[in-house]
Amino acid sequence: MSERDIHPDDVLRELGEYRASIDNLDAAMIRLLAERFRVTLRVGELKHQHKLPPADPAREEHQMRRLKEIARDAGLDPEVVELVLPPLMAEVRRRHRELGKSASGTS
């Protein structure tokens, strides 16, 4: 069967199925990110309570290496980790700093 033998409706149906899968995966990623931020909030509260710094560069570096390896094993270009993880970590650090500001009464 050549490409000319494929009916346009079949292509649109298949495209719709792929897009529905992408939509479901995007929703799952957002839910996972929300859960990640809920957990990192608890981490931030614990750090603030015990006067620990909001950032842990050694932990961040370890995570970067670990997740790049997971990406490689999953057949994903590890550079994607470089695009995704640093902004997440920056947002977590920002939220941790905000915990300190709100607890001290500054804004």
Side-chain angles (χ1 to χ4, degrees), residues 39-66:
V39 172
T40 59
L41 174 63
R42 291 193 290 265
V43 168
E45 290 167 343
L46 188 63
K47 284 181 172 185
H48 177 72
Q49 180 182 6
H50 295 280
K51 298 183 181 12
L52 298 171
D56 184 344
R59 161 91 175 141
E60 291 177 15
E61 181 57 35
H62 172 76
Q63 278 296 88
M64 191 69 77
R65 284 192 312 274
R66 186 180 78 83

Side-chain angles (χ1 to χ4, degrees), residues 5 18 33 35 41-42 46 48 57 67 74 76 80 87 91:
D5 296 331
Y18 287 139
L33 281 173
E35 180 60 22
L41 174 63
R42 291 193 290 265
L46 188 63
H48 177 72
L67 293 175
L76 180 66
V80 172
E91 178 61 11

Side-chain angles (χ1 to χ4, degrees), residues 1-103:
M1 184 182 251
S2 72
E3 284 187 27
R4 283 187 275 156
D5 296 331
I6 298 173
H7 193 277
D9 288 345
D10 293 336
V11 173
L12 291 176
R13 179 190 48 74
E14 187 174 356
L15 181 60
E17 290 171 3
Y18 287 139
R19 286 179 172 166
S21 291
I22 290 168
D23 292 350
N24 288 334
L25 291 166
D26 286 346
M29 286 190 305
I30 295 301
R31 287 184 186 101
L32 285 171
L33 281 173
E35 180 60 22
R36 187 184 195 282
F37 280 113
R38 281 189 287 275
V39 172
T40 59
L41 174 63
R42 291 193 290 265
V43 168
E45 290 167 343
L46 188 63
K47 284 181 172 185
H48 177 72
Q49 180 182 6
H50 295 280
K51 298 183 181 12
L52 298 171
D56 184 344
R59 161 91 175 141
E60 291 177 15
E61 181 57 35
H62 172 76
Q63 278 296 88
M64 191 69 77
R65 284 192 312 274
R66 186 180 78 83
L67 293 175
K68 282 182 176 181
E69 186 61 33
I70 290 170
R72 273 190 284 280
D73 291 347
L76 180 66
D77 184 342
E79 290 304 308
V80 172
V81 174
E82 289 283 349
L83 295 171
V84 173
L85 200 59
L88 290 175
M89 290 178 170
E91 178 61 11
V92 168
R93 286 190 303 271
R94 185 193 69 76
R95 290 173 180 221
H96 288 184
R97 286 190 301 272
E98 287 298 313
L99 283 173
K101 288 179 185 176
S102 64

